Amino acid sequence: MEIKITDKITQGMYVLTTAGNGCIVDAVAQVSGGDEPLIAVAVMKKNYTNELMHQNDTFALSVLGKDVDGNVIKTFGFNSGRDINKFEQVDMQDAAGVKVVPNTIGHMVCKKVDMIENDTHTLFIGKVIEGAVFDDSEPLSYGYYREHKNDLLKVKTAGGKTAWICTVCGYIYYGEEVPDDYLCPICGVDKTLFKKM
């Protein structure tokens, strides 16, 4: 079987948040209509966010656009909430008691109503209790992300300074050289895993 055929399923990209953490997800679907539509989101079981989703009754999905700040993807997609507080790395705001990412297309806050377990993921189903649209720009699809990943995550230097990027978590150090005893403040790796940009 050609398992790579699943790469052709392209969906939007979102920041899923609940109390204490969040992660990037792409398996999101509206599964009912009406005044309080149901939204389903699949979350990998090994993700810390999955553990917190089991403990909490509400969650939010921030809809990412094509102009998303690369730091949002790096923070929520390349780090574990077991290691860092992602909410301290990205500007966040509150919506119905849940953290959401501002400067996105919008967000929806859901009250969890059901869960379905499978081998690798949990499918969480929630009823939309609040939603907001901030602009009508084009949503970021997973297919577009894969095709334009390097541009979306490109390091933007400040004031002509040399930027060194951690190849593990994406943290950026500014300076002509990375000090010999320097450790990444996010993931703890040494200077040998930093790449000059």
Side-chain angles (χ1 to χ4, degrees):
M1 177 172 65
E2 285 273 350
I3 194 65
K4 287 191 170 225
I5 189 60
T6 59
D7 290 345
K8 302 302 181 186
I9 302 171
T10 185
Q11 302 164 96
M13 288 184 61
Y14 310 82
V15 174
L16 167 68
T17 48
T18 190
N21 197 44
C23 66
I24 297 283
V25 293
D26 68 337
V28 174
Q30 181 177 338
V31 294
S32 80
D35 293 334
E36 296 179 320
L38 294 178
I39 304 294
V41 56
V43 186
M44 288 179 62
K45 288 188 172 182
K46 68 179 183 178
N47 284 7
Y48 181 51
T49 303
N50 184 298
E51 182 180 323
L52 294 178
M53 288 282 286
H54 278 85
Q55 298 170 12
N56 294 301
D57 291 331
T58 56
F59 63 90
L61 291 158
S62 297
V63 184
L64 302 181
K66 286 185 174 180
D67 61 349
V68 63
D69 179 351
N71 188 49
V72 171
I73 295 175
K74 289 176 190 173
T75 300
F76 287 98
F78 299 140
N79 295 286
S80 171
R82 291 184 181 93
D83 302 324
I84 67 165
N85 183 338
K86 297 180 187 181
F87 296 159
E88 292 179 352
Q89 308 298 317
V90 173
D91 183 32
M92 304 293 291
Q93 66 185 36
D94 288 317
V98 184
K99 298 284 188 192
V100 295
V101 183
N103 302 318
T104 59
I105 290 175
H107 65 261
M108 58 195 95
V109 179
C110 301
K111 179 174 179 55
K112 186 173 66 182
V113 297
D114 203 356
M115 297 182 297
I116 300 170
E117 302 289 348
N118 67 40
D119 290 344
T120 60
H121 288 66
T122 305
L123 186 67
F124 296 95
I125 301 170
K127 175 175 63 176
V128 177
I129 58 173
E130 183 192 300
V133 176
F134 303 129
D135 69 54
D136 289 323
S137 61
E138 192 170 349
L140 175 64
S141 72
Y142 185 63
Y144 183 90
Y145 167 75
R146 287 176 59 105
E147 188 175 332
H148 299 92
K149 181 179 177 180
N150 290 340
D151 288 333
L152 288 167
L153 300 179
K154 190 178 288 182
V155 175
K156 297 170 180 69
T157 59
K161 295 180 181 176
T162 302
W164 298 81
I165 187 164
C166 175
T167 57
V168 175
C169 72
Y171 178 80
I172 301 167
Y173 174 85
Y174 292 104
E176 287 309 308
E177 293 293 332
V178 179
D180 290 338
D181 60 349
Y182 188 78
L183 297 177
C184 177
I186 302 234
C187 67
V189 299
D190 64 28
K191 70 174 281 184
T192 62
L193 291 173
F194 278 75
K195 181 179 177 183
K196 187 175 183 179
M197 302 298 286

